[in-house]
Amino acid sequence: MSHTSSVASYAPQEARVLVIYTGGTIGMQMSEHGLMPSGNFAQRLDHALAQLSPRHRQQLPSFDILSDLPLIDSSAANASTWQQLASDIVAQHQAYSGFVILHGTDTLSWSAASLAYQLQGLDRPVILTGAMEPLEVANGDALENIQGALHFAANPALQEVAIYFAGQLLRGVRACKRHSEAANAFASPNYPLLGERIGDDFIYYPGRGLAASQRGAPRFELPDYTPLTHGAVIRVALWPGITAWQLSAWLDDSRVKGALLQLWGAGNLPPEPELLNVLASASGEGKLVAAISQCPQGSVHLGNYAAGHGLVEAGVLSGDGMTPEAAYTKLVHLLAQPLATVDQRHRFLTPLVGER
Ligand code: ASN
C-alpha cells in the first residue's frame, strides 16, 4: 500500500504532530443534560486507535495532545478562541511538523478561516477535524476523521490550513458546514478538494495547494482580536421586505466597525434608495462593508444588475465567491490591525490565502 503524495513520497512515521483538542461532539460524552464536552481525551483516543489494524496504526505519525483551552461545544467559540488557537500553534510551530485541531463541527469552518489569515505563510499542515458522532460511538465518523487528519498533518507538501472530514481534504478558508446530520457535513463550494482518501491512500493534490501558488514567506499576522469581540463586526442576510431603519439600527451603531451583507443572487438588494444611503453613510464613516451572496455557490458581481448598481458607489466591497466564514473572519482580521481604511479596503479585495 502506498501513501500517495504527488510531490514526493513521505513517511508519516517520521513526522511529529501536535493534536490540539478543543471539545466538540468528537470528544463529548452523555450527561443528564445531553452530550457535553469531556476530558481524558488522550486515554480515550489511545483506546479508539487500538481498533485500527496494526498496519494502519503503524502508518500514523507520532503525536502529542494539547488541551489548554476550556473544552467547549464550538457554538461557544468566538474571535478570542481563534486568536488562542493561532497563538498555540505559533508557540509550538518549530517543535512539530504538523498540527491537528479537534474542534466542534458547528463553527469549525469559522476557526479554520480565521487561522488561515493569522497563519499566513504557514510552511506546514494545520488540519482541523471533528465528528458528527462522539469517539465512543460504534462505527461513528470520529476515528476515521482523526486518522485522515493525522495522515495529512504528516505530509510536508501540504502547507496551509485545511479541513479533513469524511474522506475529503478542503481548503480551510473555502469550506462551510453544509449538513447538520450527515457524516459528509462539509463542502468547499467554490474551490476543488485539496485531497481525498481513496481506499487506504490519502492523496494530496499539490497543484491546488497554496504552496504552489501564493504561500510566500512565513509572515504570521497575530493582531489582538479582543477589542472586536463585543459585536464590532455584524452579519446581515437580506430578506424580502428588509427596511432601511432595520439596517441602520445595526450599521449606525458606533460599536459596529464592519459588516458582512449577504445579498441576493449575483449581488442584488431591494430597490430602496434608503438602503443604499445607510450603506453609503456607514462606509463614509470608515466602516468596512462587504457583500457576498446568500447562494451557497457562485460569486457576487456588484453592478451587473441595475438592482445592485448603487452598491459600488455606496462603498460596498465585493466579497466575490468567498464563504461567509472567509469574508467575516477577514473583516475581523483586517479591522484588528492598525491599518488605514484605504489599506483595509485594498487588502479585503486582495486574495491573501486563497480565499477568493
Ligand atoms: N455542537 C457540536 C459542536 O460544534 C457539533 C459537532 O461537533 N458535531 O461542538
Side-chain angles (χ1 to χ4, degrees):
M1 192 194 75
S2 68
H3 291 271
T4 309
S5 156
S6 331
V7 164
S9 61
Y10 65 97
Q13 307 89 316
E14 284 165 19
R16 180 139 206 103
V17 171
L18 182 63
V19 175
I20 302 177
Y21 170 55
T22 68
T25 298
I26 196 164
M28 287 190 186
Q29 291 181 314
M30 195 48 82
S31 75
E32 58 183 299
H33 302 295
L35 286 171
M36 270 184 61
S38 185
N40 196 19
F41 195 77
Q43 201 183 339
R44 292 165 58 206
L45 182 56
D46 250 7
H47 190 254
L49 289 172
Q51 296 163 35
L52 295 175
S53 69
R55 185 170 59 103
H56 284 152
R57 263 204 321 271
Q58 202 208 339
Q59 283 156 349
L60 292 176
S62 52
F63 61 87
D64 297 320
I65 296 192
L66 173 72
S67 187
D68 65 340
L69 295 166
L71 298 178
I72 54 168
D73 182 300
S74 77
S75 50
N78 60 25
S80 301
T81 319
W82 307 335
Q83 184 174 347
Q84 182 63 48
L85 282 172
S87 86
D88 280 349
I89 289 170
V90 170
Q92 303 286 345
H93 178 248
Q94 292 305 332
Y96 292 94
S97 47
F99 296 84
V100 168
I101 301 177
L102 302 178
H103 196 292
T105 59
D106 287 335
T107 67
L108 187 148
S109 47
W110 295 78
S111 294
S114 175
L115 284 172
Y117 297 121
Q118 294 181 82
L119 303 176
Q120 287 177 56
L122 186 68
D123 60 357
R124 57 201 70 198
V126 171
I127 314 293
L128 291 94
T129 194
M132 302 305 280
E133 297 194 285
L135 188 60
E136 280 82 10
V137 169
N139 302 315
D141 57 338
L143 186 54
E144 200 284 323
N145 284 348
I146 293 172
Q147 188 191 357
L150 283 169
H151 265 279
F152 281 115
N155 186 340
L158 178 59
Q159 299 180 347
E160 63 181 289
V161 178
I163 294 174
Y164 179 79
F165 217 90
Q168 300 189 321
L169 186 73
L170 316 157
R171 173 164 294 163
V173 76
R174 289 280 190 163
C176 298
K177 185 174 177 182
R178 59 120 184 247
H179 205 296
S180 64
E181 292 154 358
N184 185 9
F186 286 85
S188 173
N190 285 333
Y191 196 77
L193 296 180
L194 293 181
E196 59 194 315
R197 178 176 188 164
I198 297 180
D200 270 345
D201 291 334
F202 294 87
I203 297 172
Y204 171 53
Y205 303 123
R208 300 174 183 173
L210 263 193
S213 49
Q214 60 179 108
R215 182 173 68 77
R219 53 184 186 289
F220 297 151
E221 276 183 9
L222 303 166
D224 183 12
Y225 287 171
T226 319
L228 296 168
T229 51
H230 300 290
V233 184
I234 60 166
R235 172 188 181 190
V236 187
L238 301 184
W239 64 92
I242 184 174
T243 63
W245 70 261
Q246 290 170 315
L247 194 58
S248 81
W250 275 14
L251 266 179
D252 290 349
D253 192 302
S254 61
R255 291 169 293 187
V256 169
K257 311 286 180 223
L260 176 64
L261 298 178
Q262 288 188 253
L263 305 171
W264 309 127
N268 295 315
L269 80 172
E272 295 286 337
E274 282 304 307
L275 284 173
L276 286 176
N277 289 345
V278 173
L279 297 173
S281 106
S283 37
E285 286 170 21
K287 298 183 179 186
L288 285 191
V289 183
I292 57 170
S293 179
Q294 295 191 17
C295 298
Q297 202 159 358
S299 296
V300 289
H301 304 279
L302 301 188
N304 258 20
Y305 287 90
H309 184 73
L311 286 163
V312 178
E313 280 161 24
V316 175
L317 298 161
S318 169
D320 201 356
M322 292 165 86
T323 60
E325 290 89 327
Y328 183 95
T329 59
K330 191 170 187 179
L331 289 175
V332 170
H333 188 71
L334 296 176
L335 286 163
Q337 297 176 60
L339 294 168
T341 307
V342 64
D343 296 326
Q344 289 171 335
R345 293 177 62 84
H346 176 72
R347 291 194 67 196
F348 186 85
L349 296 169
T350 307
L352 301 179
V353 284
E355 76 279 15
R356 59 184 295 159

